[in-house]
C-alpha cells in the first residue's frame, strides 16, 4: 500500500509489517523501517519538536537532513499515519 504524507512517502507491506521509506523532503532514498524503529524516531522528534533550531536526521546512515520546527510537526503527522498501519 502506497502512503504519501507531507514530507515522506513510501510503501507499507502489510504481510511483512514494515514500511519502505522511498522519499523524504523530495530526496529519493530506500530504507525499511520496522515498527520499533518508527516508534524510536517518533519519540525522539516528540521530545525535540519545540527546539527553535529544528533537528538534523540522518538518512541511510550518510545523508544529513535538517528539519525545521514546522517540518518536525509535519514529519510527526506522517509517522502517525504510518504507525496506524502496523499490526
Amino acid at each position: 500500500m502506497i502512503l504519501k504524507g507531507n514530507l515522506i512517502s513510501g510503501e507499507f507491506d502489510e504481510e511483512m509489517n514494515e514500511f519502505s521509506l522511498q522519499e523524504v523532503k523530495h530526496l529519493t532514498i530506500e530504507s525499511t523501517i520496522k515498527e520499533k524503529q518508527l516508534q524510536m524516531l517518533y519519540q525522539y522528534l516528540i521530545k525535540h519538536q519545540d527546539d527553535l533550531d529544528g533537528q538534523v536526521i540522518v538518512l541511510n546512515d550518510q545523508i544529513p537532513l535538517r528539519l525545521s520546527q514546522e517540518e518536525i510537526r509535519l514529519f510527526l503527522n506522517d509517522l502517525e499515519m504510518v504507525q496506524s498501519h502496523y499490526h
Side-chain angles (χ1 to χ4, degrees), residues 1-62:
M1 167 188 312
I2 301 294
L3 300 177
K4 184 157 178 65
N6 294 298
L7 293 180
I8 68 173
S9 64
E11 186 170 354
F12 191 85
D13 184 331
E14 293 180 16
E15 187 175 313
M16 298 296 291
N17 199 38
E18 62 188 23
F19 180 66
S20 293
L21 185 61
Q22 298 168 342
E23 186 176 58
V24 179
K25 282 183 69 173
H26 307 293
L27 292 175
T28 301
I29 67 163
E30 187 63 41
S31 183
T32 301
I33 300 175
K34 300 280 189 185
E35 184 174 15
K36 184 173 175 101
Q37 293 170 309
L38 184 134
Q39 289 172 350
M40 289 172 56
L41 177 57
Y42 183 84
Q43 291 304 318
Y44 176 83
L45 290 176
I46 283 286
K47 288 179 186 174
H48 296 281
Q49 67 181 332
D50 295 323
D51 291 359
L52 296 177
D53 293 332
Q55 283 295 306
V56 174
I57 60 173
V58 179
L59 306 174
N60 291 349
D61 293 328
Q62 59 186 339

